[in-house]
Amino acid sequence: MTLHYKKEDIIAAYERVRQRIHKTPVLTSALINEMAETKLYFKCENLQKAGSFKIRGATNAILQLSEDEKKKGVVTHSSGNFAQALALAARDLFVPAYIVMPDNAPRVKVDAVKAYGADIRFCKNTQTERVRAMEEWQQETGATFLHPYDNPHVILGQSSCAYELLNQVSELDNIVSPVGGGGLISGTALTASFFSPNTNVFAAEPKGADDAWHSFNYGKIFPSENPQTIADGLLTSLGEYTFPVIRKLVSDIYTVTDEEIIEAMKIVWTRMKIIIEPSSATSLAVILKHKAQFRDQKTALIISGGNVDLNRLPF
Amino acid sequence: MTLHYKKEDIIAAYERVRQRIHKTPVLTSALINEMAETKLYFKCENLQKAGSFKIRGATNAILQLSEDEKKKGVVTHSSGNFAQALALAARDLFVPAYIVMPDNAPRVKVDAVKAYGADIRFCKNTQTERVRAMEEWQQETGATFLHPYDNPHVILGQSSCAYELLNQVSELDNIVSPVGGGGLISGTALTASFFSPNTNVFAAEPKGADDAWHSFNYGKIFPSENPQTIADGLLTSLGEYTFPVIRKLVSDIYTVTDEEIIEAMKIVWTRMKIIIEPSSATSLAVILKHKAQFRDQKTALIISGGNVDLNRLPF
């Protein structure tokens, strides 16, 4: 897969989605800056519609469909933030949405998808069953399958987050973002490469799901196998569209333990009064672990989402 | 006490504090709008420095002191958000801060005041002991006593919040804000009366601490006696500076039960991904209780703070 993205693609995606999403605030905390011995800027996609950056990619991908495709709807399988985001984006654009969810998906996520008016079908939680159920439904409806991250329109949609960020904070030395399937980090790296080439982009990954670290360092996609981490948004493997962008444009990938993630998450909740999910805390955990690397620089962290079950907090 | 405030006082206070505080974002939630059948704008002072709007009043009051007074420092007694705010504002302005706290003050609040470098003395948690300890310390140090809310400079500092809000959202029909001692609501009502006279200002109060409701409706200050509510920021009585402003400029005061407060708090945490304290949830609780009153209007809610003990959540 070649890197055929152009500067204009990123601007066009931003213009396409901007009226349909929140322009999320960039927050700062003097106390966390003192703690990290540097200047940090938190891009709050947890405050985004449907609680994560995923609405950007979902919206951009739907808007690229033909009128006929829109009428037939979109289908995906997801237990996570993309399910909610696609459901909401589809509703806002009057497009039917069919979401396959594993039968052990958290109740709060199922309820959210329902609240956005999407149709849901449940299946056993294996990759094979999820794909089978999705393809069956796709054939019945003629809906277009939208992959949660391994889709160029989804990646370009996610790139709008960093595009917004670069207009909110100037002269960033670094951007740190979590990596799961790689949609957010590849969109971020693409945007930085075009609009702020002196900004380094780093990925943060849980040690218990470090397939991206292996893929990045060994030069081929290592599938995520039996990942064990509290960061439930980062369990997926890199894809054929996300991997080459990451390999070429990301400066490095750092891993952190679940203990470090929980500690960082607690710091943000306590000091900044915002609810962030464990996946989003990986970036701050990386910065606190590698202080020397980031000291006295301007570093933005993308807080990817805030969808946590308040009845199951890790502290 | 007459109402001698001028339009220029509010602008001057805003200009005085604006560089020293966060311009907090105004957030919206489509789901909560659907639930409330109206358009709501959340002014997020929980994302303010030291976690509440109190830094505005503290900063404005300190900046009004003479150089000699600043050298001698400021003293107050508080177990709540004003203690943290005054400690941080004083530190940022290189002014010594002496804070009397009751010996049963929550550990997290004591730790925060310490972290901001203020001196702390503990006393028994009675009004008499708190005032005695404060006056003793004041005599020793020559520091200036700053009342947490019943002080015109504090009130004018708090007015900067609504001033900012009116520049962020145009043509508001209503602003709803919690009332405790009345510093925030009187600053809000003053600002609206000068800069947006068609905007109604309502106060939200816990039923278990409804002294402001009584004071407002019977025309004289009823002291808060043995208040029982989860909204620990709203236990105080109106003061001689705040009462007349509220009596004259606030449209009405509505009360809500602790159950309604907790329900509203949970909705905001879950849907908006921000941490708000129970006191701040009173405004949404009022709106959800009086839907007909607010239906299809533009209403702002001032989210006063986000200082909660994460180990003692009511859900």
Side-chain angles (χ1 to χ4, degrees):
Chain A
M1 198 61 49
T2 54
L3 296 172
H4 61 285
Y5 302 96
K6 297 188 305 291
K7 202 169 182 163
E8 292 70 32
D9 298 336
I10 290 171
I11 297 171
Y14 174 69
E15 292 298 335
R16 209 174 286 123
V17 304
R18 60 181 297 201
Q19 296 300 333
R20 305 187 167 277
I21 57 164
H22 288 319
K23 179 175 177 180
T24 55
V26 174
L27 302 180
T28 60
S29 163
L31 272 176
I32 300 180
N33 283 349
E34 280 174 30
M35 207 178 281
E37 298 163 32
T38 189
K39 279 192 200 143
L40 301 179
Y41 301 84
F42 295 80
K43 174 67 173 165
C44 289
E45 289 294 294
N46 56 326
L47 308 180
Q48 186 52 268
K49 288 187 181 181
S52 86
F53 71 93
K54 296 269 185 183
I55 190 89
R56 297 174 179 271
T59 302
N60 190 51
I62 294 175
L63 286 170
Q64 300 283 31
L65 299 176
S66 69
E67 286 312 307
D68 184 54
E69 286 169 328
K70 281 183 195 159
K71 244 177 239 158
K72 288 179 180 155
V74 290
V75 60
T76 199
H77 56 91
S78 164
S79 61
N81 287 337
F82 190 70
Q84 296 179 56
L86 188 64
L88 179 58
R91 188 189 69 169
D92 285 353
L93 293 164
F94 307 102
V95 168
Y98 309 101
I99 317 278
V100 172
M101 300 187 83
D103 51 18
N104 63 349
R107 175 69 176 273
V108 285
K109 304 224 165 174
V110 175
D111 287 348
V113 173
K114 271 188 196 157
Y116 295 134
D119 279 354
I120 303 178
R121 274 188 197 172
F122 294 96
C123 71
K124 285 198 184 139
N125 188 25
T126 67
Q127 186 65 11
T128 320
E129 281 305 305
R130 287 164 65 148
V131 172
R132 201 194 53 72
M134 184 278 291
E135 287 178 346
E136 197 178 284
W137 215 356
Q138 189 184 15
Q139 287 199 321
E140 287 174 34
T141 57
T144 302
F145 170 56
L146 291 185
H147 192 285
Y149 55 86
D150 208 30
N151 171 320
H153 298 309
V154 171
I155 292 170
L156 282 169
Q158 318 306 23
S159 76
S160 68
C161 174
Y163 189 80
E164 239 177 57
L165 167 66
L166 291 174
N167 282 300
Q168 290 169 300
V169 189
S170 61
E171 296 180 10
L172 280 171
D173 296 300
N174 314 290
I175 304 176
V176 185
S177 156
V179 61
L184 177 61
I185 190 84
S186 54
T188 302
L190 278 170
T191 300
S193 73
F194 287 122
F195 299 97
S196 187
N198 293 325
T199 304
N200 294 306
V201 174
F202 295 96
E205 191 175 41
K207 219 183 250 318
D210 60 355
D211 56 290
W213 186 91
H214 279 96
S215 306
F216 181 77
N217 284 293
Y218 294 104
K220 71 184 183 80
I221 298 177
F222 280 69
S224 180
E225 280 175 0
N226 192 26
Q228 299 290 341
T229 173
I230 190 176
D232 59 325
L234 307 179
L235 304 177
T236 42
S237 314
L238 299 185
E240 57 171 325
Y241 288 96
T242 58
F243 172 66
V245 179
I246 292 168
R247 173 84 171 157
K248 182 167 178 202
L249 298 178
V250 167
S251 294
D252 209 345
I253 298 184
Y254 293 114
T255 61
V256 280
T257 65
D258 274 18
E259 290 67 36
E260 291 160 342
I261 292 171
I262 292 170
E263 177 62 23
M265 182 174 163
K266 200 168 177 181
I267 290 170
V268 171
W269 282 51
T270 312
R271 297 304 182 188
M272 299 185 66
K273 320 296 177 192
I274 54 173
I275 292 175
I276 70 170
E277 55 188 68
S279 306
S280 301
T282 52
S283 304
L284 180 60
V286 161
I287 288 167
L288 293 174
K289 192 172 187 170
H290 298 276
K291 279 191 191 173
Q293 161 105 30
F294 296 98
R295 183 170 287 131
D296 297 330
Q297 297 179 36
K298 284 177 77 170
T299 301
L301 300 80
I302 302 186
I303 300 296
S304 48
N307 292 322
V308 282
D309 186 342
L310 293 178
N311 299 313
R312 293 170 165 219
L313 297 181
F315 43 75
Chain B
M1 197 61 49
T2 52
L3 295 173
H4 61 285
Y5 302 96
K6 296 189 305 291
K7 201 169 182 164
E8 292 70 31
D9 297 338
I10 290 172
I11 297 171
Y14 174 69
E15 291 299 334
R16 209 174 285 123
V17 304
R18 61 182 296 202
Q19 296 300 333
R20 305 189 167 276
I21 57 164
H22 289 318
K23 179 175 176 180
T24 54
V26 174
L27 302 180
T28 60
S29 162
L31 272 176
I32 300 180
N33 283 349
E34 280 174 31
M35 206 178 279
E37 298 163 33
T38 189
K39 279 193 199 141
L40 301 179
Y41 300 84
F42 296 80
K43 174 67 172 165
C44 289
E45 289 293 292
N46 56 327
L47 308 180
Q48 186 53 269
K49 288 187 181 181
S52 85
F53 70 92
K54 297 269 185 182
I55 190 89
R56 297 175 179 271
T59 302
N60 190 49
I62 294 176
L63 286 170
Q64 300 282 30
L65 300 176
S66 69
E67 286 311 308
D68 184 53
E69 286 169 327
K70 280 183 195 161
K71 246 177 236 157
K72 288 179 179 155
V74 290
V75 61
T76 201
H77 56 92
S78 163
S79 61
N81 286 337
F82 191 70
Q84 296 178 56
L86 187 64
L88 179 58
R91 189 189 69 168
D92 286 352
L93 293 164
F94 307 101
V95 167
Y98 308 103
I99 316 278
V100 173
M101 300 187 84
D103 50 18
N104 64 347
R107 176 68 177 273
V108 284
K109 305 225 165 173
V110 176
D111 287 348
V113 172
K114 272 188 195 157
Y116 295 134
D119 278 355
I120 303 177
R121 274 189 196 172
F122 294 96
C123 71
K124 284 197 185 142
N125 188 25
T126 67
Q127 186 64 12
T128 320
E129 281 304 305
R130 286 164 66 147
V131 172
R132 200 196 52 72
M134 184 277 293
E135 286 177 347
E136 195 177 284
W137 214 356
Q138 189 184 15
Q139 287 200 322
E140 286 174 35
T141 57
T144 302
F145 170 55
L146 291 185
H147 193 284
Y149 55 86
D150 208 30
N151 171 320
H153 298 309
V154 172
I155 293 171
L156 282 169
Q158 318 306 22
S159 77
S160 68
C161 174
Y163 188 79
E164 240 178 57
L165 168 65
L166 291 174
N167 282 300
Q168 290 169 300
V169 189
S170 60
E171 296 179 11
L172 279 172
D173 297 300
N174 314 291
I175 304 177
V176 185
S177 155
V179 60
L184 177 60
I185 190 83
S186 53
T188 302
L190 278 171
T191 301
S193 72
F194 286 122
F195 299 96
S196 188
N198 293 325
T199 304
N200 295 307
V201 174
F202 294 96
E205 191 175 40
K207 218 182 250 320
D210 60 355
D211 57 287
W213 185 91
H214 279 96
S215 307
F216 181 78
N217 284 293
Y218 293 103
K220 70 184 185 77
I221 297 178
F222 281 68
S224 180
E225 279 175 2
N226 193 26
Q228 299 290 341
T229 172
I230 190 176
D232 60 326
L234 306 179
L235 304 177
T236 43
S237 314
L238 299 185
E240 57 171 323
Y241 288 96
T242 57
F243 172 65
V245 179
I246 292 168
R247 173 85 171 155
K248 181 167 179 202
L249 299 177
V250 167
S251 294
D252 209 345
I253 298 185
Y254 292 114
T255 61
V256 281
T257 66
D258 275 18
E259 290 67 35
E260 289 160 344
I261 293 170
I262 292 169
E263 177 61 24
M265 182 174 165
K266 199 169 177 181
I267 290 170
V268 171
W269 281 52
T270 312
R271 297 304 181 186
M272 300 186 63
K273 320 297 177 190
I274 54 174
I275 292 175
I276 70 169
E277 55 187 71
S279 307
S280 302
T282 52
S283 304
L284 180 60
V286 161
I287 288 166
L288 292 174
K289 193 172 187 169
H290 299 275
K291 279 191 192 176
Q293 161 105 30
F294 296 98
R295 184 170 286 132
D296 297 330
Q297 298 181 35
K298 285 179 77 173
T299 301
L301 301 78
I302 302 185
I303 300 296
S304 48
N307 292 323
V308 282
D309 186 341
L310 293 179
N311 299 313
R312 291 170 167 220
L313 297 182
F315 44 75

PDB file of all heavy atoms in Angstrom, chain B residues 207-219:
ATOM      1  N   LYS B 207     -32.541  21.383  48.415  1.00  0.00           N
ATOM      2  CA  LYS B 207     -33.649  21.492  49.367  1.00  0.00           C
ATOM      3  C   LYS B 207     -33.139  21.395  50.805  1.00  0.00           C
ATOM      4  O   LYS B 207     -33.670  22.044  51.711  1.00  0.00           O
ATOM      5  CB  LYS B 207     -34.647  20.365  49.091  1.00  0.00           C
ATOM      6  CG  LYS B 207     -36.108  20.783  49.242  1.00  0.00           C
ATOM      7  CD  LYS B 207     -37.039  19.620  49.010  1.00  0.00           C
ATOM      8  CE  LYS B 207     -37.848  19.722  47.724  1.00  0.00           C
ATOM      9  NZ  LYS B 207     -38.374  21.036  47.377  1.00  0.00           N
ATOM     10  N   GLY B 208     -32.106  20.608  51.013  1.00  0.00           N
ATOM     11  CA  GLY B 208     -31.581  20.416  52.367  1.00  0.00           C
ATOM     12  C   GLY B 208     -30.752  21.586  52.876  1.00  0.00           C
ATOM     13  O   GLY B 208     -30.203  21.528  53.984  1.00  0.00           O
ATOM     14  N   ALA B 209     -30.638  22.645  52.059  1.00  0.00           N
ATOM     15  CA  ALA B 209     -29.873  23.831  52.486  1.00  0.00           C
ATOM     16  C   ALA B 209     -30.518  25.035  51.816  1.00  0.00           C
ATOM     17  O   ALA B 209     -29.869  25.824  51.142  1.00  0.00           O
ATOM     18  CB  ALA B 209     -28.405  23.702  52.049  1.00  0.00           C
ATOM     19  N   ASP B 210     -31.829  25.187  52.053  1.00  0.00           N
ATOM     20  CA  ASP B 210     -32.596  26.163  51.269  1.00  0.00           C
ATOM     21  C   ASP B 210     -32.730  27.524  51.954  1.00  0.00           C
ATOM     22  O   ASP B 210     -33.747  28.206  51.831  1.00  0.00           O
ATOM     23  CB  ASP B 210     -33.968  25.594  50.904  1.00  0.00           C
ATOM     24  CG  ASP B 210     -34.805  25.238  52.141  1.00  0.00           C
ATOM     25  OD1 ASP B 210     -34.267  25.351  53.261  1.00  0.00           O
ATOM     26  OD2 ASP B 210     -35.972  24.856  51.971  1.00  0.00           O
ATOM     27  N   ASP B 211     -31.671  27.923  52.637  1.00  0.00           N
ATOM     28  CA  ASP B 211     -31.694  29.230  53.308  1.00  0.00           C
ATOM     29  C   ASP B 211     -31.820  30.378  52.300  1.00  0.00           C
ATOM     30  O   ASP B 211     -32.473  31.379  52.575  1.00  0.00           O
ATOM     31  CB  ASP B 211     -30.429  29.416  54.146  1.00  0.00           C
ATOM     32  CG  ASP B 211     -29.174  29.268  53.298  1.00  0.00           C
ATOM     33  OD1 ASP B 211     -28.856  28.128  52.905  1.00  0.00           O
ATOM     34  OD2 ASP B 211     -28.517  30.288  53.011  1.00  0.00           O
ATOM     35  N   ALA B 212     -31.192  30.246  51.118  1.00  0.00           N
ATOM     36  CA  ALA B 212     -31.286  31.334  50.130  1.00  0.00           C
ATOM     37  C   ALA B 212     -32.722  31.447  49.617  1.00  0.00           C
ATOM     38  O   ALA B 212     -33.229  32.548  49.392  1.00  0.00           O
ATOM     39  CB  ALA B 212     -30.320  31.095  48.971  1.00  0.00           C
ATOM     40  N   TRP B 213     -33.383  30.303  49.444  1.00  0.00           N
ATOM     41  CA  TRP B 213     -34.775  30.305  49.008  1.00  0.00           C
ATOM     42  C   TRP B 213     -35.631  31.091  50.009  1.00  0.00           C
ATOM     43  O   TRP B 213     -36.432  31.945  49.636  1.00  0.00           O
ATOM     44  CB  TRP B 213     -35.291  28.861  48.865  1.00  0.00           C
ATOM     45  CG  TRP B 213     -36.674  28.759  48.299  1.00  0.00           C
ATOM     46  CD1 TRP B 213     -37.018  28.638  46.992  1.00  0.00           C
ATOM     47  CD2 TRP B 213     -37.910  28.794  49.035  1.00  0.00           C
ATOM     48  NE1 TRP B 213     -38.373  28.579  46.854  1.00  0.00           N
ATOM     49  CE2 TRP B 213     -38.960  28.676  48.092  1.00  0.00           C
ATOM     50  CE3 TRP B 213     -38.237  28.907  50.394  1.00  0.00           C
ATOM     51  CZ2 TRP B 213     -40.305  28.668  48.461  1.00  0.00           C
ATOM     52  CZ3 TRP B 213     -39.578  28.906  50.762  1.00  0.00           C
ATOM     53  CH2 TRP B 213     -40.597  28.792  49.807  1.00  0.00           C
ATOM     54  N   HIS B 214     -35.420  30.806  51.305  1.00  0.00           N
ATOM     55  CA  HIS B 214     -36.162  31.528  52.339  1.00  0.00           C
ATOM     56  C   HIS B 214     -35.803  33.013  52.342  1.00  0.00           C
ATOM     57  O   HIS B 214     -36.676  33.877  52.421  1.00  0.00           O
ATOM     58  CB  HIS B 214     -35.881  30.911  53.720  1.00  0.00           C
ATOM     59  CG  HIS B 214     -36.695  29.688  53.990  1.00  0.00           C
ATOM     60  ND1 HIS B 214     -36.231  28.411  53.780  1.00  0.00           N
ATOM     61  CD2 HIS B 214     -37.982  29.549  54.411  1.00  0.00           C
ATOM     62  CE1 HIS B 214     -37.185  27.534  54.084  1.00  0.00           C
ATOM     63  NE2 HIS B 214     -38.253  28.194  54.473  1.00  0.00           N
ATOM     64  N   SER B 215     -34.523  33.293  52.260  1.00  0.00           N
ATOM     65  CA  SER B 215     -34.083  34.695  52.295  1.00  0.00           C
ATOM     66  C   SER B 215     -34.689  35.466  51.124  1.00  0.00           C
ATOM     67  O   SER B 215     -35.202  36.578  51.277  1.00  0.00           O
ATOM     68  CB  SER B 215     -32.553  34.765  52.213  1.00  0.00           C
ATOM     69  OG  SER B 215     -31.961  33.959  53.203  1.00  0.00           O
ATOM     70  N   PHE B 216     -34.631  34.849  49.949  1.00  0.00           N
ATOM     71  CA  PHE B 216     -35.139  35.481  48.733  1.00  0.00           C
ATOM     72  C   PHE B 216     -36.647  35.731  48.838  1.00  0.00           C
ATOM     73  O   PHE B 216     -37.142  36.801  48.483  1.00  0.00           O
ATOM     74  CB  PHE B 216     -34.833  34.560  47.545  1.00  0.00           C
ATOM     75  CG  PHE B 216     -35.271  35.076  46.210  1.00  0.00           C
ATOM     76  CD1 PHE B 216     -34.530  36.057  45.555  1.00  0.00           C
ATOM     77  CD2 PHE B 216     -36.406  34.577  45.582  1.00  0.00           C
ATOM     78  CE1 PHE B 216     -34.917  36.528  44.301  1.00  0.00           C
ATOM     79  CE2 PHE B 216     -36.802  35.041  44.331  1.00  0.00           C
ATOM     80  CZ  PHE B 216     -36.055  36.019  43.695  1.00  0.00           C
ATOM     81  N   ASN B 217     -37.368  34.751  49.337  1.00  0.00           N
ATOM     82  CA  ASN B 217     -38.822  34.844  49.338  1.00  0.00           C
ATOM     83  C   ASN B 217     -39.388  35.651  50.501  1.00  0.00           C
ATOM     84  O   ASN B 217     -40.489  36.190  50.406  1.00  0.00           O
ATOM     85  CB  ASN B 217     -39.438  33.447  49.302  1.00  0.00           C
ATOM     86  CG  ASN B 217     -39.353  32.840  47.905  1.00  0.00           C
ATOM     87  OD1 ASN B 217     -39.996  33.322  46.982  1.00  0.00           O
ATOM     88  ND2 ASN B 217     -38.516  31.825  47.741  1.00  0.00           N
ATOM     89  N   TYR B 218     -38.644  35.732  51.611  1.00  0.00           N
ATOM     90  CA  TYR B 218     -39.161  36.476  52.759  1.00  0.00           C
ATOM     91  C   TYR B 218     -38.462  37.826  52.932  1.00  0.00           C
ATOM     92  O   TYR B 218     -38.789  38.588  53.837  1.00  0.00           O
ATOM     93  CB  TYR B 218     -39.048  35.638  54.029  1.00  0.00           C
ATOM     94  CG  TYR B 218     -39.958  34.429  53.983  1.00  0.00           C
ATOM     95  CD1 TYR B 218     -39.446  33.161  53.719  1.00  0.00           C
ATOM     96  CD2 TYR B 218     -41.341  34.563  54.148  1.00  0.00           C
ATOM     97  CE1 TYR B 218     -40.273  32.062  53.634  1.00  0.00           C
ATOM     98  CE2 TYR B 218     -42.184  33.463  54.074  1.00  0.00           C
ATOM     99  CZ  TYR B 218     -41.651  32.208  53.822  1.00  0.00           C
ATOM    100  OH  TYR B 218     -42.480  31.129  53.741  1.00  0.00           O
ATOM    101  N   GLY B 219     -37.468  38.096  52.079  1.00  0.00           N
ATOM    102  CA  GLY B 219     -36.904  39.445  52.086  1.00  0.00           C
ATOM    103  C   GLY B 219     -35.933  39.773  53.200  1.00  0.00           C
ATOM    104  O   GLY B 219     -35.653  40.945  53.452  1.00  0.00           O
TER     105      GLY B 219
END
